[in-house]
Amino acid sequence: TGKVYVCPQGVYNWSVRSGEGAMLPLWLGTVMYPDLFASVDMSKNISDFFSNYYSYKISADEIVKVLAGSEK
C-alpha cells in the first residue's frame, strides 16, 4: 500500500536485540495482519512490560511516542 512503518522505540530500539524487542513480533502482527492480531492491545502490553521489567508506570502519551518510534 506504499506505507512505511517506523519500529517502536522505548528505552531502546525494538529492531535490535533488546528486552523490549520481545514485543516487536506482536507489534508487527498488529501492523501486518490486523485481523489476526485484533485481540492484541499493544498499549497494555507496553504498559505491563514497563511495569514488570522497569518498575515504571508509563503514561499514555509516552506509549504513543514509543509506538511512533519517537525518541524520549
Side-chain angles (χ1 to χ4, degrees), residues 6-47:
V6 177
C7 280
Q9 176 179 322
V11 174
Y12 202 72
N13 293 326
W14 289 17
S15 60
V16 296
R17 286 186 220 159
S18 70
E20 292 172 57
M23 292 185 284
L24 185 61
L26 286 175
W27 175 78
L28 282 172
T30 64
V31 170
M32 297 173 71
Y33 304 102
D35 294 339
L36 295 174
F37 286 79
S39 64
V40 174
D41 182 347
M42 284 308 301
S43 293
K44 179 166 177 18
N45 280 302
I46 293 168
S47 179

Side-chain angles (χ1 to χ4, degrees), residues 11 46-58 62:
V11 174
I46 293 168
S47 179
D48 290 348
F49 185 94
F50 272 70
S51 178
N52 290 330
Y53 295 101
Y54 298 144
S55 297
Y56 180 75
K57 182 168 175 34
I58 189 168
E62 289 172 316

